[in-house]
């Protein structure tokens, strides 16, 4: 469920910070407040966090940008083709 995913992600970030893998000066509460202010996460009536539709789009966009930016360019697009008028063997 999305609610559990957002809260688990925040919990993981706190554990990483406790282990020194995220900077101690990173204010996770301020980050969460900014995400809420920007409408990327929201709280339900019980106070549980969830991604909003714009938040989901931003996560998807960032993931796609990461994937495509890490792909190596394959050159000019030249491909080995048999000479014209011959059949591939």
């Amino acid at each position: 469920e999305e609610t559990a995913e957002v809260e688990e992600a925040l919990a993981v970030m706190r554990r990483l910070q406790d282990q020194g893998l995220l900077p101690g000066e990173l204010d996770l509460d301020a980050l969460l407040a900014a995400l809420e202010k920007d409408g990327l996460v929201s709280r339900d009536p019980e106070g549980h966090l969830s991604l909003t539709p714009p938040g989901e789009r931003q996560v998807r966009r960032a993931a796609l940008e990461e994937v495509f930016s890490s792909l190596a360019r394959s050159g000019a697009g030249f491909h080995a083709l048999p000479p014209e008028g011959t059949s591939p063997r």
Side-chain angles (χ1 to χ4, degrees):
E1 180 176 310
E2 290 174 8
T3 299
E5 291 172 4
V6 172
E7 291 175 353
E8 179 60 22
L10 189 57
V12 167
M13 291 178 71
R14 290 189 194 285
R15 285 194 301 269
L16 291 172
Q17 196 171 43
D18 291 343
Q19 295 170 3
L21 299 172
L22 281 179
E25 63 273 6
L26 177 62
D27 186 344
L28 295 176
D29 292 325
L31 173 64
L32 179 58
L35 292 172
E36 287 183 271
K37 179 180 175 276
D38 291 345
L40 301 176
V41 298
S42 64
R43 293 183 185 271
D44 65 15
E46 291 83 35
H48 298 289
L49 293 167
S50 63
L51 277 175
T52 62
E56 290 178 26
R57 283 191 297 275
Q58 183 148 341
V59 168
R60 286 187 185 107
R61 186 179 309 117
L64 287 172
E65 286 174 3
E66 181 69 26
V67 167
F68 287 111
S69 70
S70 66
L71 293 176
R73 293 186 58 89
S74 64
F78 296 108
H79 305 283
L81 298 172
E84 191 174 329
T86 64
S87 62
R89 295 179 192 184

